[in-house]
């Protein structure tokens, strides 16, 4: 007879890895990401998932508006001839 143990704590793996003190320290930390590159945002995601407390993103890159398709109103949707 094997008993399957379930937990309601979503941070159960981390708690088993570094204990309650480590998880508490993680949840109380604040991360600042400067220049949101693909690598930086992936790293931030990997810190958010185990439960960091807060984060801020500082990036001075200008966002370019994405062009929206012009609707002709005919309902064809292709817009090409």
């Amino acid at each position: 007879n094997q008993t399957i143990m379930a937990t309601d704590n979503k941070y159960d793996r981390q708690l088993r890895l570094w204990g309650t003190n480590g998880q508490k320290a993680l949840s109380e930390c604040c991360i600042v990401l400067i220049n949101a590159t693909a690598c930086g945002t992936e790293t931030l995601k990997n810190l958010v998932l185990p439960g960091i407390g807060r984060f801020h993103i500082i990036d001075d890159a200008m966002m370019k508006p994405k062009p929206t398709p012009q609707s002709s109103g005919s309902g064809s949707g292709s817009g090409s001839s």
Side-chain angles (χ1 to χ4, degrees), residues 14-47:
Q14 289 84 251
L15 288 168
R16 286 186 272 154
L17 181 62
W18 48 68
T20 55
N21 289 337
Q23 187 64 38
K24 184 174 186 282
L26 187 65
S27 70
E28 292 174 349
C29 77
C30 179
I31 302 292
V32 177
L33 173 62
I34 300 173
N35 293 332
T37 63
C39 181
T41 54
E42 181 68 17
T43 302
L44 182 61
K45 178 202 75 160
N46 290 332
L47 291 168

Side-chain angles (χ1 to χ4, degrees), residues 6 13 19 31-32 38 44 55 64 77 80:
R13 286 183 180 182
I31 302 292
V32 177
L44 182 61
F55 67 90
K64 294 180 184 172
S80 61

